[in-house]
Amino acid sequence: MDTGSAREAEPTASVEGTAGAIEDGPVWIALPPGLLKMRRLLLVVWLGLLALAAGLLPGLLAGPAWAVFAVLPLALMAWGWVMIDRNWRSWRYAERADDLLISRGVLWREETVVPYGRMQLVEVTSGPVERHFGLASVQLHTAAAATDATIPGLDPAEAERLRDRLTELGEARSAGL
């Protein structure tokens, strides 16, 4: 797989519809690896500082044996490293003819379907840390708050392309409502 590409096609099963037509499943697009790098860096920075404080302060104040408290944040860092990878791999999205699918979650799988005609606002946001890693997020707002959705960690060009496409499709679909 090309590491520069965020596209990941999952094997799709053909489903026979009621009218006898055959439909292909959606083409899922994975999130770019920059989001994984950003989240891992944040994990190492915050838990590294916590491990330093948990080992240094008790070690200096109560004796070197108390520096063992630094092991807990380090163990959390190792566990978090694996969990962040699993969470990153679970995120994906697919553009279909009438709606956008967003799938995420490891233990509790969540799939959000956002119909193009129900979209009211599509935002592209990027905080300072995201900008440093060359990432942006797409936030979709609909009339029903339950179907608002976010796609984090996209390349800015892909986020803008997706915003423009979703806005165009939303305007075209809502014209008939």
Side-chain angles (χ1 to χ4, degrees):
M1 182 174 149
D2 182 17
T3 57
S5 172
R7 295 198 175 266
E8 175 185 5
E10 202 174 85
T12 55
S14 295
V15 178
E16 181 109 10
T18 56
I22 297 179
E23 292 181 19
D24 289 333
V27 176
W28 292 100
I29 302 169
L31 298 183
L35 180 66
L36 178 63
K37 291 176 189 173
M38 181 189 76
R39 288 181 174 175
R40 282 183 168 170
L41 177 69
L42 291 173
L43 175 78
V44 168
V45 167
W46 288 110
L47 286 179
L49 289 173
L50 185 62
L52 184 65
L56 191 60
L57 288 176
L60 290 175
L61 297 175
W66 290 93
V68 75
F69 282 114
V71 173
L72 181 61
L74 294 175
L76 279 172
M77 188 183 308
W79 179 74
W81 190 272
V82 173
M83 291 297 108
I84 286 173
D85 181 67
R86 289 183 66 195
N87 180 269
W88 172 74
R89 289 182 189 281
S90 75
W91 276 87
R92 58 194 185 155
Y93 66 97
E95 298 174 59
R96 297 194 305 183
D98 296 321
D99 51 30
L100 178 74
L101 299 176
I102 302 171
S103 179
R104 65 190 170 278
V106 178
L107 293 177
W108 286 272
R109 223 50 205 139
E110 185 174 332
E111 190 165 296
T112 305
V113 179
V114 184
Y116 296 136
R118 299 292 181 197
M119 288 185 205
Q120 292 183 332
L121 175 67
V122 181
E123 288 181 303
V124 175
T125 60
S126 185
V129 177
E130 285 178 312
R131 280 193 308 273
H132 177 75
F133 282 90
L135 301 173
S137 296
V138 174
Q139 173 114 26
L140 310 165
H141 298 278
T142 63
T147 57
D148 285 1
T150 302
I151 304 173
L154 296 173
D155 294 320
E158 171 65 7
E160 289 176 15
R161 183 205 65 82
L162 192 58
R163 178 199 59 209
D164 294 343
R165 176 164 164 72
L166 295 176
T167 302
E168 178 184 315
L169 288 168
E171 289 173 357
R173 298 291 196 277
S174 67
L177 293 178

